[in-house]
Amino acid sequence: MTAAPTLPAAPAGRPDHPHRPPRQLRWLLRLHRPAVLVWTAFVLVTGAALLWLGGPLTDASAAAWKEYNACAFAERCSYDQDAIVRYKDVYSYTTIALLAAPFLVAAWAGGSLTGRETESGTARLAWTQGVTPARWLAARLALPAVLVAVSTGLLVHLHRLAWTAGEGRIDTAKPWYDFATFYANGTVPVALALAGLCAGALEGLLLRRSLAALTTATVVLGGLWATVHTALPHLWPTVTRVSSLRDGPSGTGITTGEGVLTADGDRLTAPCSSGMIPGCRTELADLGAVNFYRDVHPVAHYWPLQLTASGVLLAVAALLVLAAFRVLRLRTAGPAGKGGPA
């Protein structure tokens, strides 16, 4: 009796191979290795500066301010002025670096992630190797989104720790409602960076020119942030603080409006800021003013404003992703067939 013939094993390199997505991610990391290294260096340097800021620099500056305040009105006072200036400078530089991070992401996404690949033909080559355009774009958005969200979130956390360490200890520390500090301490930079990633990817697909996409994505992100910044005070109901004419307007936080109240409850523009000034007292009396008022967001509104603004940015990012997939589908739905360029 003869043995039954043995069937040959099925080839392992088919287009639907289950290990294709990991290969795409490895190729993505290899293709954009310089950008990954630069971004890693940026995060490490900025993070180290923030740790330095929240530790030794804060302690040295707080000690210097304590010495300065102990001098009172003495003619000669000995304190470490360099420590105060150094803290202020490092705080400013790290805050600027953190707020610039979303623009770096947008520029890279437009200029390299999709712009350069569509311009050079690398994307078209991938589509001819069994990778569908939709999967190609999904791979280029998923991994960078995770890396950007985690690294930007880490920098935000370190910035908030550094700011908290100096709160109440350093006389020149920025208040929470200083807009640069407000943004750098919350979730807005993370959402803005993700929106920048999506805007850059869309511009790269639309323009198919790396330099043009880089520039346009940066401008679009700047316009988006300016819009959110303008709308931010109106994303959550304000609190009205009413004060006497003698005391003037009161209430600290993000101010959206102030003026005077009449006996009928009308709101009028305040001609001056205190009834203690003789000329001001006369002007307020002519208006029939009885109180000052100020519409303000107190510190309790910090996280509602942050989360609402971040939600708006994430919604915009989702729309940009949908638009990117739509543009890609239209560009690759030509007569060349599946995955072929139009």
Side-chain angles (χ1 to χ4, degrees):
M1 173 183 263
T2 58
T6 302
L7 296 176
R14 299 195 180 278
D16 56 347
H17 194 276
H19 296 294
R20 183 170 298 279
R23 287 208 302 270
Q24 287 189 60
L25 296 182
R26 286 196 298 269
W27 170 250
L28 179 64
L29 290 173
R30 181 180 300 178
L31 185 63
H32 298 282
R33 183 182 300 171
V36 173
L37 293 177
V38 170
W39 179 257
T40 301
F42 170 80
V43 172
L44 290 177
V45 171
T46 306
L50 287 170
L51 289 173
W52 184 38
L53 176 69
L57 286 186
T58 295
D59 293 338
S61 183
W65 274 110
K66 187 175 181 179
E67 294 171 353
Y68 176 81
N69 292 328
C71 292
F73 295 100
E75 292 184 5
R76 301 185 64 179
C77 182
S78 177
Y79 67 97
D80 191 355
Q81 184 179 13
D82 291 340
I84 295 175
V85 175
R86 191 179 304 115
Y87 172 89
K88 182 178 179 181
D89 289 343
V90 175
Y91 183 87
S92 298
Y93 296 149
T94 52
T95 302
I96 292 172
L98 177 53
L99 297 181
F103 292 93
L104 298 178
V105 173
W108 169 76
S112 181
L113 184 63
T114 56
R116 187 176 65 181
E117 290 199 42
T118 52
E119 181 180 16
S120 64
T122 306
R124 187 179 305 176
L125 176 63
W127 300 339
T128 61
Q129 300 299 315
V131 178
T132 63
R135 182 177 293 180
W136 171 85
L137 181 57
R140 272 145 186 78
L141 289 176
L143 181 60
V146 173
L147 295 177
V148 165
V150 171
S151 55
T152 308
L154 174 62
L155 293 180
V156 166
H157 178 65
L158 293 177
H159 188 281
R160 185 167 185 83
L161 289 178
W163 175 80
T164 303
E167 189 180 13
R169 300 173 61 196
I170 298 175
D171 291 13
T172 53
K174 296 293 185 180
W176 70 269
Y177 50 85
D178 171 75
F179 273 112
T181 299
F182 175 89
Y183 287 122
N185 279 344
T187 55
V188 167
V190 180
L192 196 66
L194 292 175
L197 174 68
C198 300
L202 175 60
E203 294 301 330
L205 293 173
L206 282 173
L207 301 177
R208 292 185 285 185
R209 294 291 183 272
S210 57
L211 182 59
L214 181 153
T215 305
T216 306
T218 306
V219 172
V220 167
L221 186 64
L224 178 60
W225 194 0
T227 302
V228 171
H229 176 73
T230 302
L232 178 74
H234 310 288
L235 296 178
W236 199 261
T238 57
V239 173
T240 300
R241 306 294 189 192
V242 178
S243 56
S244 67
L245 297 179
R246 174 185 293 270
D247 297 333
S250 63
T252 58
I254 300 176
T255 302
T256 61
E258 64 179 33
V260 293
L261 295 172
T262 65
D264 297 330
D266 295 332
R267 293 187 169 201
L268 303 176
T269 302
C272 48
S273 59
S274 175
M276 293 293 292
I277 303 173
C280 183
R281 188 185 307 121
T282 302
E283 292 185 72
L284 293 174
D286 292 341
L287 290 175
V290 295
N291 291 105
F292 280 104
Y293 79 90
R294 176 176 287 169
D295 295 329
V296 65
H297 288 290
V299 66
H301 289 189
Y302 180 83
W303 285 113
L305 287 172
Q306 279 280 344
L307 295 176
T308 304
S310 299
V312 171
L313 288 169
L314 291 177
V316 173
L319 293 176
L320 292 172
V321 170
L322 292 176
F325 276 98
R326 175 67 175 173
V327 169
L328 183 64
R329 188 175 70 86
L330 293 175
R331 288 279 169 87
T332 57
K338 181 180 178 181

